[in-house]
Amino acid sequence: MALINENFLKLPESYLFSDIKKKVEAFKHLHPDANIISLGIGDVTRPIAPVVIEALHAAVDEMGDSKTFRGYGPEQGYDFLQKKIIENDYIHRGVDLAPDEIFISDGAKSDIGNIGDILSMQNRVAVTDPVYPVYIDTNVMGGRAGNIAKDGQHWDNIIYIPCTSENNFIPEPPSVRPDIIYLCYPNNPTGTTLSKNELEKWVNYALENETLILFDSAYEAYIHDEGIPHSIYEVKDAKRVAIEFRSFSKTAGFTGLRCGYTVVPKELKLYDTSKKKVNINRLWNRRQTTKFNGTSYIVQRAAEATYSPVGKIQIQESIDYYMRNAGLLKDCLQKAGLQIYGGDNAPYIWVKTPNELSSWKFFDRLLYECHIVGTPGVGFGPSGEGYFRLTAFGRYEDTIESISRIQNWKL
Ligand code: PLP
């Protein structure tokens, strides 16, 4: 008899986006002519930069010619891309990495999920709350989360670190020591960031407590204020405690093309049960070479093109476009008297719902009174209750139209 991994049965259906869809459908049924604007999606809307498209075409042509055809590539990624990543994303920030510490993949989500393969089930995991749901769900699948509590929101073996306006969205080390902590900065969903000092505290905590930090910097390209680290390795000794996940999705519009990378420094050592230190880079390399056959050549050439001088200008144009949306939205929401967080160094705006409205009540009012769809904060975790996420990834024209509706809104 073949048995299943029963951890999968513990996972509740992911109701958030299907509930949103149902509510929007019900609204459309009542108001078929309403022009609904979605500021809820976490997907980009701008097309791929022209220079990246050119690189894709050129790589496709190479594949059609026996002289330049490529079959299986290195599972870790081509060194032309690893080297570009090191030169452009790390060296000028004072971070020295070797190509074999960079593992190219089909996106950050896969790596964030797969990293659990090389980590013991016995590890105690901590997350900031609210949180990108993948961190929790993949630990449920891996058997590290325990069981879901009666409130349907907390897993009893996960340590939740609330990040709310009360603590200025800065996570404090928990009273129970975690073996692993996920940190995501700039943060999805709150759009908030950590200063170098604040991140340093976490690195020092991890060094003292032998905690592994899984650092997700999928939104680092949106940072423009000085003093906010783009990489955790800008902090001294972070290579000894952290794995970093990066993505071309939000940086260069690759949500459909699929490319990301994970940095696993050779200095990072964890333990086996006999307390012997184990090199994690070697373990991840073994995992990848066995279970992954590499990101496609043409996509890696496309990713490489984002680092060309023209590529940098073109991808920055899209980031500026989204951040102009963020600035306009933020300004309008503040003028409407709402308390707003994020949106300065991230494409997400985290709204405190007024008059103690629940996240879902605010959702209903925004939908029925302004015909705008966003994401209820409670969908990202218990500390998201009373908050609401809006994204800057929409079209400029839609953002402008939303603003004029919000300006006339009687909250
Ligand atoms: N990490 C965070 C925090 C995200 O919000 C997302 C996507 O929304 C990802 C990772 C996934 O990135 P990718 O498209 O590279 O899989």
Side-chain angles (χ1 to χ4, degrees):
M1 192 179 359
L3 299 175
I4 57 157
N5 172 355
E6 291 203 8
N7 292 316
F8 279 69
L9 301 181
K10 292 184 181 175
L11 275 173
E13 283 306 313
S14 174
Y15 291 121
L16 179 63
F17 289 99
S18 61
D19 284 355
I20 291 175
K21 199 163 162 225
K22 271 187 223 146
K23 279 178 177 275
V24 173
E25 288 308 318
F27 172 81
K28 276 190 190 158
H29 190 70
L30 293 172
H31 307 276
D33 298 327
N35 169 17
I36 300 172
I37 296 177
S38 175
L39 299 179
I41 46 160
D43 198 355
V44 293
T45 48
R46 303 257 298 162
I48 302 281
V51 74
V52 175
I53 295 295
E54 275 167 36
L56 270 172
H57 281 298
V60 167
D61 288 343
E62 282 184 60
M63 294 300 245
D65 183 336
S66 60
K67 291 196 278 307
T68 46
F69 166 78
R70 310 255 185 159
Y72 287 125
E75 294 91 343
Q76 304 85 345
Y78 284 99
D79 68 353
F80 63 76
L81 182 55
Q82 290 166 324
K83 285 181 182 156
K84 282 276 167 8
I85 288 169
I86 293 171
E87 278 161 30
N88 292 281
D89 290 345
Y90 290 103
I91 286 184
H92 70 290
R93 300 197 186 282
V95 180
D96 188 22
L97 291 166
D100 59 359
E101 292 175 303
I102 311 277
F103 294 83
I104 315 289
S105 71
D106 62 350
K109 193 183 196 178
S110 329
D111 286 353
I112 290 165
N114 293 334
I115 200 75
D117 275 11
I118 61 166
L119 301 169
S120 164
M121 268 179 61
Q122 288 159 31
N123 287 310
R124 192 79 199 271
V125 170
V127 294
T128 55
D129 171 31
V131 68
Y132 177 52
V134 174
Y135 309 152
I136 295 199
D137 289 1
T138 53
N139 278 292
V140 175
M141 293 171 182
R144 283 179 215 95
N147 292 303
I148 198 154
K150 284 211 181 70
D151 65 5
Q153 291 204 301
H154 291 87
W155 292 87
D156 57 14
N157 215 24
I158 300 253
I159 301 164
Y160 291 79
I161 305 176
C163 291
T164 61
S165 58
E166 274 88 57
N167 60 7
N168 217 6
F169 301 93
I170 298 168
E172 282 295 321
S175 49
V176 181
R177 189 199 76 86
D179 300 300
I180 300 171
I181 174 152
Y182 290 81
L183 294 178
C184 171
Y185 290 98
N187 188 261
N188 177 15
T190 65
T192 56
T193 50
L194 287 189
S195 68
K196 189 156 179 198
N197 252 343
E198 286 149 5
L199 195 54
E200 239 158 33
K201 284 188 195 153
W202 274 103
V203 170
N204 291 337
Y205 176 89
L207 286 162
E208 279 159 27
N209 292 279
E210 303 197 280
T211 298
L212 169 68
I213 300 177
L214 296 177
F215 192 75
D216 183 346
S217 54
Y219 297 95
E220 67 76 32
Y222 290 82
I223 297 174
H224 79 40
D225 288 351
E226 294 290 320
I228 298 174
H230 288 241
S231 163
I232 193 164
Y233 305 122
E234 290 174 51
V235 175
K236 190 171 168 285
D237 287 336
K239 281 193 200 166
R240 288 168 51 203
V241 290
I243 291 175
E244 179 161 291
F245 303 95
R246 290 263 182 121
S247 169
F248 290 91
S249 285
K250 308 299 159 72
T251 308
F254 275 47
T255 52
L257 264 186
R258 310 302 306 143
C259 194
Y261 65 89
T262 292
V263 183
V264 189
K266 285 182 226 152
E267 286 168 48
L268 177 63
K269 308 267 183 343
L270 300 181
Y271 295 94
D272 67 12
T273 42
S274 68
K275 302 225 166 101
K276 206 174 96 216
K277 285 194 174 178
V278 179
N279 178 326
I280 293 309
N281 178 283
R282 201 171 50 75
L283 233 58
W284 182 245
N285 189 49
R286 189 73 176 87
R287 191 262 170 219
Q288 290 299 81
T289 50
T290 303
K291 289 197 179 181
F292 184 59
N293 248 346
T295 306
S296 80
Y297 172 70
I298 59 174
V299 168
Q300 291 190 65
R301 281 293 184 203
E304 180 192 29
T306 67
Y307 293 114
S308 65
V310 184
K312 283 183 190 173
I313 293 168
Q314 290 178 350
I315 64 170
Q316 190 58 45
E317 275 166 11
S318 284
I319 292 168
D320 292 345
Y321 175 99
Y322 296 132
M323 289 312 284
R324 176 173 61 158
N325 287 349
L328 291 167
L329 266 174
K330 218 181 137 166
D331 191 46
C332 148
L333 292 160
Q334 269 162 347
K335 285 192 181 131
L338 290 161
Q339 198 64 49
I340 304 300
Y341 306 94
D344 292 325
N345 293 288
Y348 295 115
I349 293 171
W350 195 236
V351 182
K352 177 100 190 86
T353 63
N355 312 322
E356 314 230 320
L357 281 181
S358 72
S359 296
W360 278 110
K361 271 268 163 347
F362 188 82
F363 174 92
D364 289 338
R365 285 199 56 189
L366 195 64
L367 175 60
Y368 278 80
E369 295 166 29
C370 300
H371 307 175
I372 296 172
V373 178
T375 314
V378 69
F380 298 100
S383 297
E385 181 54 287
Y387 292 90
F388 199 77
R389 192 191 75 173
L390 293 173
T391 88
F393 285 130
R395 293 184 326 129
Y396 173 71
E397 296 73 19
D398 288 342
T399 306
I400 294 293
E401 170 60 24
S402 312
I403 286 169
S404 85
R405 293 182 195 176
I406 292 168
Q407 277 165 347
N408 297 315
W409 192 22
K410 302 266 172 304
L411 259 168

